[in-house]
Amino acid sequence: MKALIISDSHGRANDVMDAVEKVKPEVLFHLGDGAKDLRGLGLLYPDVTVYQVGGNCDYSSNMELVRLTTLEGVRILMTHGHIFGVKQSISRLVREAKGRNARVVLYGHTHSAYFEDRDGLLIINPGSIGFSGRYGVLTVENGNVSYEAGIL
């Protein structure tokens, strides 16, 4: 299963659509700050399952700020990251992910791409799709997980 990971689209809906066209994912994770940029996505790409969380710029949104989901048996924790102070340190976020037995943690907010495999926990920030055209691709097959960074 191929999943597109994006964050911080900040009104750049065309960049979101361009990434979906380029990657052709089965799943899309949007990590906040641009919830409105997904409007119409379901009509254009009805076969793409969308998971999203709210960011600090998703005003008047009642979206979850933290969400745990499972893809093919792999637990994935997603958040924008602002409530965990990720601009200062990812340590609180890592503790949260480990506490929820996640194998992958996805976050945004910093606009900077980051990837680390920390003792079997994949920590992924795709960077900002809206400001730098950055996105990530997570592939899950038979319990195996791989990650690749991309740019429009």
Side-chain angles (χ1 to χ4, degrees):
M1 178 173 293
K2 188 186 325 183
L4 172 63
I5 308 164
I6 59 173
S7 188
D8 298 278
S9 49
H10 290 285
R12 302 285 306 252
N14 287 341
D15 289 344
V16 173
M17 300 302 173
D18 288 348
V20 171
E21 277 295 316
K22 186 173 182 178
V23 174
K24 302 196 182 324
E26 297 163 83
V27 172
L28 169 68
F29 291 106
H30 190 287
L31 305 175
D33 282 1
K36 294 177 181 176
D37 301 334
L38 300 183
R39 288 184 183 156
L41 186 78
L43 294 173
L44 293 171
Y45 306 99
D47 296 330
V48 176
T49 302
V50 176
Y51 298 99
Q52 66 185 128
V53 289
N56 60 301
C57 293
D58 290 318
Y59 308 112
S60 68
S61 167
N62 59 356
M63 287 186 297
E64 296 173 86
L65 298 179
V66 180
R67 185 171 184 173
L68 184 66
T69 191
T70 303
L71 290 184
E72 296 189 16
V74 175
R75 291 171 62 93
I76 301 169
L77 182 71
M78 58 185 295
T79 186
H80 184 61
H82 62 294
I83 63 171
F84 293 100
V86 297
K87 285 188 176 180
Q88 288 75 38
S89 169
I90 60 169
S91 60
R92 285 179 49 211
L93 177 60
V94 168
R95 278 195 306 275
E96 182 74 17
K98 287 182 176 183
R100 293 184 185 223
N101 296 315
R103 185 141 163 235
V104 178
V105 62
L106 308 174
Y107 73 101
H109 189 53
T110 66
H111 296 190
S112 297
Y114 180 83
F115 172 76
E116 179 184 357
D117 183 342
R118 189 179 293 185
D119 301 321
L121 174 66
L122 296 185
I123 305 164
I124 300 169
N125 181 333
S128 171
I129 188 84
F131 293 132
S132 65
R134 297 193 179 280
Y135 62 87
V137 178
L138 186 73
T139 303
V140 181
E141 291 181 13
N142 301 321
N144 296 312
V145 183
S146 62
Y147 177 72
E148 182 179 335
I151 191 164
L152 290 177

